[in-house]
PDB file of all heavy atoms in Angstrom:
ATOM      1  N   ALA A  31      35.624   1.360   9.146  1.00 40.00           N
ATOM      2  CA  ALA A  31      36.877   1.386   8.387  1.00 40.00           C
ATOM      3  C   ALA A  31      36.665   0.899   6.978  1.00 40.00           C
ATOM      4  O   ALA A  31      35.883   0.008   6.720  1.00 40.00           O
ATOM      5  CB  ALA A  31      37.919   0.516   9.075  1.00 40.00           C
ATOM      6  N   SER A  32      37.423   1.515   6.060  1.00 47.00           N
ATOM      7  CA  SER A  32      37.372   1.080   4.675  1.00 47.00           C
ATOM      8  C   SER A  32      38.479   0.081   4.374  1.00 47.00           C
ATOM      9  O   SER A  32      38.527  -0.476   3.290  1.00 47.00           O
ATOM     10  CB  SER A  32      37.507   2.291   3.743  1.00 47.00           C
ATOM     11  OG  SER A  32      38.710   2.982   4.013  1.00 47.00           O
ATOM     12  N   HIS A  33      39.410  -0.133   5.331  1.00 73.00           N
ATOM     13  CA  HIS A  33      40.529  -1.038   5.100  1.00 73.00           C
ATOM     14  C   HIS A  33      40.221  -2.425   5.641  1.00 73.00           C
ATOM     15  O   HIS A  33      39.554  -2.577   6.666  1.00 73.00           O
ATOM     16  CB  HIS A  33      41.795  -0.503   5.785  1.00 73.00           C
ATOM     17  CG  HIS A  33      42.276   0.797   5.200  1.00 73.00           C
ATOM     18  ND1 HIS A  33      43.478   1.358   5.510  1.00 73.00           N
ATOM     19  CD2 HIS A  33      41.700   1.654   4.314  1.00 73.00           C
ATOM     20  CE1 HIS A  33      43.631   2.499   4.853  1.00 73.00           C
ATOM     21  NE2 HIS A  33      42.544   2.690   4.136  1.00 73.00           N
ATOM     22  N   ARG A  34      40.713  -3.425   4.967  1.00 75.00           N
ATOM     23  CA  ARG A  34      40.503  -4.810   5.398  1.00 75.00           C
ATOM     24  C   ARG A  34      41.429  -5.152   6.569  1.00 75.00           C
ATOM     25  O   ARG A  34      42.445  -4.490   6.778  1.00 75.00           O
ATOM     26  CB  ARG A  34      40.786  -5.764   4.236  1.00 75.00           C
ATOM     27  CG  ARG A  34      39.847  -5.589   3.057  1.00 75.00           C
ATOM     28  CD  ARG A  34      40.231  -6.523   1.927  1.00 75.00           C
ATOM     29  NE  ARG A  34      39.335  -6.379   0.797  1.00 75.00           N
ATOM     30  CZ  ARG A  34      38.198  -7.062   0.657  1.00 75.00           C
ATOM     31  NH1 ARG A  34      37.866  -7.939   1.586  1.00 75.00           N
ATOM     32  NH2 ARG A  34      37.419  -6.881  -0.392  1.00 75.00           N
ATOM     33  N   PRO A  35      41.086  -6.209   7.340  1.00 76.00           N
ATOM     34  CA  PRO A  35      41.970  -6.642   8.430  1.00 76.00           C
ATOM     35  C   PRO A  35      43.380  -6.975   7.951  1.00 76.00           C
ATOM     36  O   PRO A  35      44.337  -6.856   8.704  1.00 76.00           O
ATOM     37  CB  PRO A  35      41.261  -7.878   8.990  1.00 76.00           C
ATOM     38  CG  PRO A  35      39.821  -7.662   8.650  1.00 76.00           C
ATOM     39  CD  PRO A  35      39.808  -6.945   7.338  1.00 76.00           C
ATOM     40  N   SER A  36      43.493  -7.407   6.692  1.00 78.00           N
ATOM     41  CA  SER A  36      44.817  -7.730   6.172  1.00 78.00           C
ATOM     42  C   SER A  36      45.734  -6.508   6.162  1.00 78.00           C
ATOM     43  O   SER A  36      46.958  -6.642   6.275  1.00 78.00           O
ATOM     44  CB  SER A  36      44.694  -8.299   4.759  1.00 78.00           C
ATOM     45  OG  SER A  36      44.042  -7.371   3.901  1.00 78.00           O
ATOM     46  N   CYS A  37      45.138  -5.321   6.026  1.00 85.00           N
ATOM     47  CA  CYS A  37      45.940  -4.091   6.045  1.00 85.00           C
ATOM     48  C   CYS A  37      46.544  -3.887   7.431  1.00 85.00           C
ATOM     49  O   CYS A  37      47.729  -3.561   7.572  1.00 85.00           O
ATOM     50  CB  CYS A  37      45.071  -2.896   5.656  1.00 85.00           C
ATOM     51  SG  CYS A  37      45.968  -1.328   5.600  1.00 85.00           S
ATOM     52  N   ALA A  38      45.721  -4.088   8.470  1.00 85.00           N
ATOM     53  CA  ALA A  38      46.230  -3.965   9.832  1.00 85.00           C
ATOM     54  C   ALA A  38      47.298  -5.016  10.115  1.00 85.00           C
ATOM     55  O   ALA A  38      48.293  -4.747  10.803  1.00 85.00           O
ATOM     56  CB  ALA A  38      45.076  -4.095  10.829  1.00 85.00           C
ATOM     57  N   LYS A  39      47.119  -6.221   9.588  1.00 84.00           N
ATOM     58  CA  LYS A  39      48.110  -7.275   9.783  1.00 84.00           C
ATOM     59  C   LYS A  39      49.453  -6.886   9.160  1.00 84.00           C
ATOM     60  O   LYS A  39      50.517  -7.090   9.756  1.00 84.00           O
ATOM     61  CB  LYS A  39      47.600  -8.573   9.169  1.00 84.00           C
ATOM     62  CG  LYS A  39      48.553  -9.752   9.329  1.00 84.00           C
ATOM     63  CD  LYS A  39      47.966 -11.012   8.711  1.00 84.00           C
ATOM     64  CE  LYS A  39      48.930 -12.183   8.870  1.00 84.00           C
ATOM     65  NZ  LYS A  39      48.381 -13.432   8.261  1.00 84.00           N
ATOM     66  N   ARG A  40      49.393  -6.301   7.966  1.00 84.00           N
ATOM     67  CA  ARG A  40      50.632  -5.864   7.306  1.00 84.00           C
ATOM     68  C   ARG A  40      51.335  -4.779   8.110  1.00 84.00           C
ATOM     69  O   ARG A  40      52.550  -4.838   8.328  1.00 84.00           O
ATOM     70  CB  ARG A  40      50.306  -5.347   5.907  1.00 84.00           C
ATOM     71  CG  ARG A  40      51.506  -4.785   5.150  1.00 84.00           C
ATOM     72  CD  ARG A  40      51.109  -4.286   3.768  1.00 84.00           C
ATOM     73  NE  ARG A  40      50.067  -3.277   3.838  1.00 84.00           N
ATOM     74  CZ  ARG A  40      50.307  -1.985   4.127  1.00 84.00           C
ATOM     75  NH1 ARG A  40      51.540  -1.586   4.400  1.00 84.00           N
ATOM     76  NH2 ARG A  40      49.317  -1.127   4.163  1.00 84.00           N
TER      77      ARG A  40
END
Side-chain angles (χ1 to χ4, degrees):
S32 57
H33 295 190
R34 297 177 179 272
S36 58
C37 182
K39 181 179 180 180
R40 177 180 57 80

